[in-house]
């Protein structure tokens, strides 16, 4: 009988579902494995034993769940944030950053539903049960967490009830004046005009004659040296066409704190063509408080260049420093479902339409009753104190906070339930709606006949992706390469799967997201402008994500890998390079154990740029150590490539020692009582015990200058049943006899290799030739190794390859030599 040599030199489909183990007719069958544990499928075709994990520290509260979130300012400044029960800690490049710890409101039960979006040194954090927060880094060891202040929006619908809101103050830099010095402060003008105070009497029908010529100035001085901040004002012309013509055409607004030295904070020119009683509104940036405020005018007097006059000048007071004043509701109808104001409304915004038909906004700073609150007001001063009938309450209150966020086209966008709120372009705090192209946008997500909750939003090429429990939609400008604006938008449905409330990841050419069941992972690809489609990337390996996906983290260097912790404690992996048809899943069991299981539990994963050019994969790993639950932060080390064997780090929760040759190494108290493997100057020591004080001692008085010590793990790959096609069809199910296996290895310690053959339903060990240096150290071998197998006709031609040493192993190809029944 002729012997067959079917080579398998690609493993790019990784571990496939048991449901497909007999589907030899599928194209990917010969690029797949029945088991791929602690091996990573490589874009080059082979499989490589994963790197170990380096111990970075214990979480603050080991008894409680902890989540990792990346904070990436740049490739050179990247952090991993430890989010625990009501605290945040900071890690960078393998270690905790000093003693940095920030108090947070987030409870353990809510950590994995936090959403976040980052820009430079700020990260916005959202959850439907918490007010939005902003985490800010001002220095490597200086971090703060504050409430995020929405400026002017978003809001609920405009009030359509009879309830009115009556303000007790104008929100003005100047009170309602009844004389030059009454009730408080002092009004003065260029010619000491006696009626100059009427510019501030809140009555647009009274006039102030400030000058008999074309220039004039008027100012107001705060009483008692007080200071206020002004950043907006409005000016009103006099009544009657002739009087309106006497309005100034250019001016500057200036502030002073001594009446002598003046700072210009706004200037205007070409203010011509005034109509009777016309108001014009001006906004500018200013954060400096002043005691004096002056309006210095030119170009007044009309055609005859005489009698500069105007009706009102109304400078505002910036609400950030304003003394709160009362806002009284006429009833509770229309407020919080008819219950009136609540203490939970403190911090909430209200939008008010003044008698001049201009919207202002206020923030609730206190509550006295269901109809009385205290507010500070932002924007222009009110023209009067009449009851306001048109008002809108801020959208975000307990139970109605935003749930996810993203940046898109220089806008900060948030979502809640069915709505998306996008800020003004370039002004991330401002959510005031308008009709200008750069004004904020509010979009109600409704399409496809379904009202599905939005679970995430993400920036993509040409569209803001909206992930809902019913599928993915794309929000964009109405034309090709057209920006999203209040008047130009389109909302397109794509043929996609429903989404889970798990943050998606950008995988370069596509997005990867978790489907609604949390039992599969889908790839979202763009098929046309603002049109997308999805495929289940794990369909051929459906048994892996079916364990339940917790979150996603994507690594680009050195290989494109998706990592996803699973509910059974395993760490799922997916090698994703679709341009090369590389799509292989693998799973990983970290060394140690938890509560009797044979592996440690991975609870969270995050990726940040590393210092050596490779991405760092950060993990929160739960183990039972000394009968106690411990949660450690660990970093998966970079894969072993082209180094000396002594440099290999193939242990979990491990540490490195480099220094003088010693027989014992301390510092491993986190593994007290555990059995560890050690690679010491290239020699392998297995099953050493860590003392209660955290010390490991080499046997026989041996010493070493370079130690890698940690919990052991084995990498295992099971091949599928051999099938190369017989003369009359498939060989699946027929008896086979395997004489030997040829392994093509790369940089592999053969002393750690174990090979088994499946015979009579059980795995039988096979004698494995190995290469050992004269001094007993491991050596790295590259080439072919022939493994003889004493097989029988009871086998299936399946082989299990395991690597158990804390040393490297890469398998480039697998060639069984076998005979099969005709």
């Amino acid at each position: 009988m002729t012997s067959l040599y079917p080579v398998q030199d690609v493993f790019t489909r990784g571990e496939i579902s048991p449901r497909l183990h007999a589907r030899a007719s599928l194209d990917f069958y010969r690029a797949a494995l029945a088991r791929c544990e602690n091996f990573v499928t490589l874009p080059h075709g082979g499989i490589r034993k994963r790197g170990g994990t380096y111990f970075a520290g214990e979480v603050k509260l080991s008894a409680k769940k902890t989540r990792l979130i990346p904070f990436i300012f740049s490739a050179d400044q990247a952090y991993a944030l430890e989010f625990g029960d009501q605290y945040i800690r900071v890690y960078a490049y393998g270690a905790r950053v000093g003693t940095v710890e920030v108090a947070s409101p987030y409870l353990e039960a809510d950590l994995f539903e936090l959403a976040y979006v980052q820009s430079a040194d700020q990260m916005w954090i959202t959850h439907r049960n918490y007010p939005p927060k902003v985490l800010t880094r001002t220095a490597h060891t200086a971090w703060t967490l504050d409430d995020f202040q929405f400026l002017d929006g978003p809001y609920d619908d405009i009030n359509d009830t009879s309830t009115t809101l009556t303000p007790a103050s104008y929100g003005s830099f100047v009170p309602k004046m009844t004389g030059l010095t009454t009730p408080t402060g002092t009004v003065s003008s260029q010619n000491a005009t006696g009626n100059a105070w009427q510019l501030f009497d809140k009555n647009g029908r009274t006039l102030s004659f400030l000058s008999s010529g074309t220039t004039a100035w008027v100012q107001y001085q705060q009483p008692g040296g007080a200071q206020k901040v002004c950043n907006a004002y409005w000016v009103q012309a006099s009544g009657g066409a002739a009087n309106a013509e006497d309005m100034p055409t250019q001016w500057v607004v200036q502030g002073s704190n001594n009446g002598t030295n003046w700072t210009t904070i706004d200037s205007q020119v070409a203010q011509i063509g005034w109509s009777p009683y016309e108001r014009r509104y001006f906004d500018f940036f200013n954060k400096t408080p002043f005691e004096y405020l002056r309006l210095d005018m030119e170009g007044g007097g009309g055609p005859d260049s005489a009698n500069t006059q105007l009706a009102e000048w109304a400078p505002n007071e910036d609400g950030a420093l304003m003394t709160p004043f009362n806002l009284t509701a006429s009833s509770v109808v229309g407020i919080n479902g008819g219950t009136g104001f609540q203490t939970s409304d403190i911090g909430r915004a209200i939008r008010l339409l003044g008698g001049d038909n201009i919207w202002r906004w206020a923030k609730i700073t206190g509550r006295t009753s269901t109809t009385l609150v205290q507010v500070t007001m932002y924007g222009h001063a009110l023209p009067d104190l009449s009851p306001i009938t048109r008002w809108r309450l801020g959208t975000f209150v307990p139970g109605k906070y935003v749930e996810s966020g993203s940046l898109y086209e220089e806008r900060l966008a948030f979502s809640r339930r069915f709505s998306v709120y996008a800020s003004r372009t370039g002004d991330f705090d401002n959510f005031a709606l308008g009709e200008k192209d750069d004004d904020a946008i509010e979009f109600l997500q409704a399409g496809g006949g379904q009202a599905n909750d939005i679970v995430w939003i993400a920036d993509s090429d040409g569209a803001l992706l909206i992930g809902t429990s019913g599928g993915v939609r794309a929000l964009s400008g109405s034309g090709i390469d057209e920006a999203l604006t209040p008047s130009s938008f389109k909302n397109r449905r794509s043929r996609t799967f429903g989404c889970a409330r798990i943050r998606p990841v950008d995988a370069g050419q596509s997005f990867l997201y978790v489907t609604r069941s949390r039992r599969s992972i889908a790839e979202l690809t763009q098929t046309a402008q603002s049109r997308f489609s999805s495929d289940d990337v794990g369909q051929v390996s459906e048994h892996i994500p079916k364990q339940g996906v917790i979150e996603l983290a994507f690594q680009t260097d050195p290989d494109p890998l998706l990592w996803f912790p699973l509910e059974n404690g395993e760490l799922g992996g997916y090698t994703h390079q679709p341009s090369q048809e590389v799509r292989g899943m693998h799973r990983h069991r970290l060394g140690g154990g938890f509560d009797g299981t044979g592996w440690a539990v991975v609870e969270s994963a995050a990726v940040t740029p590393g210092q050596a050019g490779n991405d760092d994969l950060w993990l929160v790993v739960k183990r039972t150590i000394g009968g106690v639950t411990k949660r450690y932060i660990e970093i998966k080390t970079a894969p072993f490539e082209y180094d000396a064997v002594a440099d290999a780090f193939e242990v979990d929760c491990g540490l490195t020692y480099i220094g003088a040759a010693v027989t014992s190494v301390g510092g491993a108290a986190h593994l007290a009582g555990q059995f560890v493997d050690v690679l010491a100057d290239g020699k392998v020591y297995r099953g050493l015990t860590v003392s209660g004080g955290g010390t490991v001692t080499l046997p026989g008085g041996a010493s070493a200058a370079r130690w890698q010590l940690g919990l052991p793990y084995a990498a295992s790959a099971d091949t599928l049943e051999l099938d190369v096609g017989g003369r009359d069809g498939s060989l699946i199910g027929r008896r086979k006899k395997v004489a030997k296996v040829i392994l093509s290895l790369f940089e592999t310690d053969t002393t750690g290799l174990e090979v088994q053959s499946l015979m009579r339903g059980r795995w039988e060990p096979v004698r494995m030739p190995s290469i050992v240096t004269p001094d007993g150290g491991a050596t790295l071998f590259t080439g072919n190794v022939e493994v003889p197998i004493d097989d029988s006709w009871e086998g299936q031609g399946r082989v299990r390859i395991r690597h158990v040493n804390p040393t490297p192993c890469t398998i480039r190809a697998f060639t069984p030599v076998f005979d099969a029944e005709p």
Side-chain angles (χ1 to χ4, degrees):
M1 183 174 291
T2 303
S3 295
L4 303 175
Y5 293 76
V7 62
Q8 182 174 354
D9 57 2
V10 289
F11 304 91
T12 53
R13 296 315 296 256
E15 179 178 322
I16 64 172
S17 169
R19 297 178 178 179
L20 299 174
H21 285 191
R23 297 288 303 276
S25 61
L26 296 174
D27 290 340
F28 60 76
Y29 185 86
R30 294 176 188 171
L33 293 165
R35 178 190 181 112
C36 189
E37 180 181 304
N38 288 330
F39 274 114
V40 173
T41 61
L42 299 176
H44 318 83
I47 54 175
R48 176 175 56 204
K49 186 180 179 183
R50 69 166 173 84
T53 65
Y54 189 87
F55 173 73
E58 183 178 357
V59 304
K60 179 183 179 181
L61 303 173
S62 263
K64 296 187 176 184
K65 283 187 176 181
T66 307
R67 183 184 178 189
L68 293 171
I69 290 178
F71 188 103
I72 304 171
F73 177 83
S74 68
D76 299 320
Q77 300 180 54
Y79 301 85
L81 306 178
E82 173 192 332
F83 275 69
D85 187 47
Q86 297 187 301
Y87 74 89
I88 302 170
R89 286 181 167 182
V90 182
Y91 285 75
Y93 304 114
R96 187 178 170 199
V97 176
T99 59
V100 175
E101 183 174 318
V102 180
S104 85
Y106 308 117
L107 300 176
E108 175 191 13
D110 300 320
L111 294 177
F112 283 85
E113 288 196 350
L114 294 178
Y116 57 91
V117 55
Q118 184 191 344
S119 175
D121 271 323
Q122 288 188 308
M123 173 181 283
W124 293 267
I125 305 169
T126 56
H127 187 287
R128 61 183 175 275
N129 294 329
Y130 297 87
K133 296 280 188 178
V134 58
L135 180 69
T136 304
R137 181 194 74 147
T138 54
H140 183 60
T141 58
W143 299 72
T144 56
L145 183 68
D146 301 298
D147 287 333
F148 175 59
Q149 304 293 336
F150 287 92
L151 300 184
D152 197 9
Y155 297 98
D156 289 343
D157 293 337
I158 297 175
N159 169 56
D160 59 1
T161 73
S162 60
T163 300
T164 61
L165 302 178
T166 302
S169 175
Y170 297 90
S172 178
F173 190 94
V174 184
K176 180 179 180 179
M177 299 299 290
T178 56
L180 292 175
T181 58
T182 53
T184 58
T186 302
V187 178
S188 54
S189 60
Q190 183 175 18
N191 296 320
T193 305
N195 67 356
W197 61 270
Q198 292 184 153
L199 264 71
F200 309 108
D201 65 356
K202 317 305 181 187
N203 184 354
R205 296 185 179 278
T206 59
L207 306 181
S208 293
F209 293 90
L210 297 176
S211 171
S212 59
T214 60
T215 62
W217 59 259
V218 64
Q219 71 183 36
Y220 175 79
Q221 179 186 5
Q222 294 286 343
Q227 297 176 352
K228 292 184 178 182
V229 175
C230 175
N231 57 13
Y233 62 92
W234 52 266
V235 177
Q236 183 176 359
S238 306
N243 289 336
E245 289 181 347
D246 289 336
M247 285 290 291
T249 59
Q250 61 186 38
W251 60 79
V252 294
V253 177
Q254 298 176 313
S256 175
N257 284 315
N258 57 16
T260 301
N261 301 313
W262 296 90
T263 300
T264 298
I265 56 178
D266 185 57
S267 62
Q268 300 293 328
V269 296
Q271 296 293 330
I272 60 177
W274 289 86
S275 301
Y277 296 117
E278 179 185 356
R279 287 191 180 102
R280 295 185 185 179
Y281 297 83
F282 305 94
D283 301 88
F284 52 91
F285 179 84
N286 175 50
K287 293 294 183 182
T288 304
F290 292 110
E291 178 183 351
Y292 297 82
L293 197 67
R294 171 181 288 187
L295 180 67
D296 194 346
M297 300 162 277
E298 297 181 16
D304 57 1
S305 298
N307 298 328
T308 297
Q309 58 184 330
L310 60 160
E312 288 288 309
W313 176 37
N316 79 332
E317 179 187 1
D318 185 1
L321 299 175
M322 184 183 296
T323 300
F325 60 86
N326 286 340
L327 186 68
T328 305
S330 61
S331 74
V332 298
V333 177
I335 302 174
N336 289 327
T339 62
F341 292 116
Q342 306 296 315
T343 55
S344 57
D345 287 323
I346 295 175
R348 191 177 188 181
I350 302 180
R351 210 168 197 222
L352 307 169
L353 185 65
D356 53 359
N357 209 36
I358 296 296
W359 286 97
R360 286 93 169 160
W361 74 280
K363 180 180 293 185
I364 299 175
T365 60
R367 172 191 177 271
T368 301
S369 69
T370 56
T371 58
L372 179 61
V373 291
Q374 290 73 48
V375 301
T376 55
M377 198 175 71
Y378 298 76
H380 291 280
L382 288 165
D384 55 58
L385 302 182
S386 301
I388 295 172
T389 59
R390 302 283 282 173
W391 49 267
R392 306 177 71 180
L393 286 172
T395 295
F396 304 136
V397 292
K400 296 174 63 178
Y401 294 123
V402 290
E403 300 175 12
S404 63
S406 179
L407 292 170
Y408 180 67
E409 293 184 344
E410 300 303 317
R411 299 178 186 269
L412 177 60
F414 293 111
S415 71
R416 181 181 68 84
R417 291 298 305 276
F418 315 128
S419 299
V420 174
Y421 311 91
S423 73
R424 185 182 177 91
T425 302
D427 188 355
F428 293 166
D429 299 333
N430 193 332
F431 285 75
L433 301 180
E435 298 180 356
K436 297 179 181 178
D437 285 351
D438 61 352
D439 281 338
I441 301 170
E442 182 177 336
F443 178 78
L444 179 63
Q445 169 67 23
Q450 299 180 6
N452 294 306
D453 280 6
I454 298 172
V455 295
W456 53 258
I457 55 177
D459 180 15
S460 178
D461 293 338
L464 179 66
L465 299 179
I466 302 174
T468 78
S469 54
V472 180
R473 305 185 71 90
L475 179 64
S476 65
S478 57
I480 297 177
D481 294 330
E482 188 171 338
L484 176 66
T485 70
S487 60
S488 174
F489 61 88
K490 61 185 174 185
N491 171 31
R492 285 187 170 178
R493 180 177 65 90
S494 299
R495 298 188 180 276
T496 56
F497 305 105
C499 307
R501 198 178 293 278
I502 295 176
R503 181 184 177 89
V505 294
D506 186 346
Q509 299 175 350
S510 59
F511 272 82
L512 299 173
Y513 67 96
V514 181
T515 62
R516 183 173 53 194
S517 67
R518 293 179 178 251
R519 296 294 185 266
S520 62
I521 299 171
E523 179 182 14
L524 185 71
T525 54
Q526 189 166 1
T527 58
Q529 180 71 19
S530 300
R531 292 189 183 275
F532 297 82
S533 64
S534 284
D535 289 311
D536 183 352
V537 299
Q539 189 171 21
V540 300
S541 306
E542 45 82 30
H543 64 299
I544 296 179
K546 270 190 176 177
Q547 298 297 328
V549 179
I550 295 174
E551 63 183 351
L552 303 179
F554 192 77
Q555 173 182 1
T556 57
D557 290 318
D559 298 309
L561 290 166
L562 176 72
W563 299 101
F564 48 100
L566 297 165
E567 290 179 2
N568 70 345
E570 291 181 328
L571 176 64
Y574 171 59
T575 307
H576 178 74
Q577 197 169 51
S579 62
Q580 302 298 320
E581 294 300 320
V582 178
R583 301 170 182 270
M585 281 200 176
H586 30 92
R587 52 195 176 85
H588 304 267
R589 293 180 173 180
L590 269 65
F594 173 73
D595 198 23
T597 63
W599 61 90
V601 173
V602 179
E603 290 188 326
S604 183
V607 170
T608 64
Q611 287 180 304
N614 294 319
D615 289 336
D616 286 337
L617 173 65
W618 298 76
L619 303 171
V620 173
V621 186
K622 179 173 65 172
R623 296 183 180 87
T624 301
I625 305 288
V628 179
T629 297
K630 294 289 187 178
R631 285 179 167 90
Y632 296 148
I633 294 178
E634 302 172 29
I635 305 173
K636 183 185 162 303
T637 57
F640 180 87
E641 291 182 316
Y642 311 113
D643 288 322
V645 66
D647 296 324
F649 195 98
E650 307 283 339
V651 290
D652 284 338
C653 200
L655 296 173
T656 295
Y657 167 81
I658 301 175
V662 292
T663 60
S664 298
V665 165
H670 64 289
L671 296 177
Q674 302 296 298
F675 293 105
V676 297
D677 283 0
V678 176
L679 183 65
D681 285 346
K683 294 182 181 181
V684 174
Y685 299 89
R686 298 181 61 189
L688 304 184
T689 302
V690 182
S691 71
T695 299
V696 179
T697 302
L698 296 180
S703 64
R706 186 179 188 93
W707 297 52
Q708 320 280 13
L709 69 91
L711 296 171
Y713 63 92
S716 182
D718 295 358
T719 65
L720 292 162
E721 184 175 354
L722 291 171
D723 180 67
V724 293
R727 288 175 295 178
D728 56 349
S730 173
L731 297 182
I732 292 292
R734 302 187 188 188
R735 295 192 302 164
K736 307 173 184 69
K737 181 178 181 180
V738 179
K740 62 181 177 181
V741 171
I742 303 173
L743 297 177
S744 177
L745 305 177
F746 178 73
E747 291 188 332
T748 296
D749 168 26
T750 59
T751 64
L753 272 178
E754 295 178 356
V755 177
Q756 296 173 311
S757 176
L758 186 63
M759 294 184 289
R760 293 177 293 277
R762 65 177 182 270
W763 293 100
E764 298 288 350
V766 174
R767 184 180 64 84
M768 178 70 199
S770 60
I771 302 172
V772 182
T773 60
D775 63 356
T779 187
L780 298 182
F781 174 76
T782 297
N784 294 336
V785 173
E786 292 190 3
V787 184
I789 296 179
D790 184 16
D791 204 348
S792 70
W793 285 101
E794 301 300 325
Q796 295 178 329
R798 293 185 61 191
V799 173
R800 170 171 290 175
I801 305 167
R802 298 181 76 239
H803 195 271
V804 297
N805 278 357
T807 47
C809 174
T810 298
I811 301 172
R812 297 184 297 195
F814 160 80
T815 306
V817 181
F818 75 102
D819 296 326
E821 289 181 325

